[in-house]
Amino acid sequence: AALREKPMFVYNTWNPFRTEVNAELVTELAAAAAACWAEEFIIDDGWQENKGDWEIDRKKFPGGLKPVFDRIRELGMKPGLWISLTDAETRSRVYREHPDWFVRDRDGQITNLHSNSKTEATACLGTDWYNHIRDVILRLAREHGLAYVKLDLSLAVSSYVYDKER
């Protein structure tokens, strides 16, 4: 039976590039994705200076994300961006200023529910982190005209860490 509508094709940079993305690569990938009829193009992890403050990594994207997203739109696709809903690096400003916003284990130590990384922590959505991350998401969506935000929920309820003590 024929499909009434063709499926939507969304390109996401995560596989195979993981966090190794930059303006040149994304622009090249966007052209290839557009040639394959992609409708949405999502820049996944690696665009940010750090998780938590969610500032653009200017080494990877010297002109910021705007010219990259403008090019994605010129190619006929909707731009999207990955953001982790509850992840912050311990070097981030928000982590240093608000350690009370982060999940603690049974011993009272800040913990990471996503991995064994000691440089990242899981924020609690029952604190003012909720307002912080909401404002970050809205700022990025407005500044860049995002049509799509990929919110990584794997940290809210971990798919990777099964240790109930954590």
Side-chain angles (χ1 to χ4, degrees), residues 35-54:
C36 295
W37 305 93
E39 294 178 44
E40 293 182 0
F41 188 100
I42 290 92
I43 300 173
D44 211 293
D45 195 2
W47 63 267
Q48 71 283 350
E49 175 65 29
N50 69 50
K51 297 172 189 164
D53 297 334
W54 300 104

Side-chain angles (χ1 to χ4, degrees), residues 78-97:
K78 297 175 184 174
L81 190 64
W82 170 89
I83 303 167
S84 177
L85 195 59
T86 60
D87 193 19
E89 293 180 39
T90 55
R91 66 185 176 98
S92 67
R93 183 189 74 256
V94 68
Y95 176 87
R96 291 189 321 270
E97 291 177 2

Side-chain angles (χ1 to χ4, degrees), residues 83 85 125 128-142 151:
I83 303 167
L85 195 59
L125 292 168
D128 278 337
W129 171 267
Y130 174 87
N131 295 319
H132 166 76
I133 198 65
R134 179 201 61 211
D135 293 346
V136 165
I137 294 164
L138 291 174
R139 173 181 54 85
L140 290 166
R142 288 178 183 136
L151 295 178

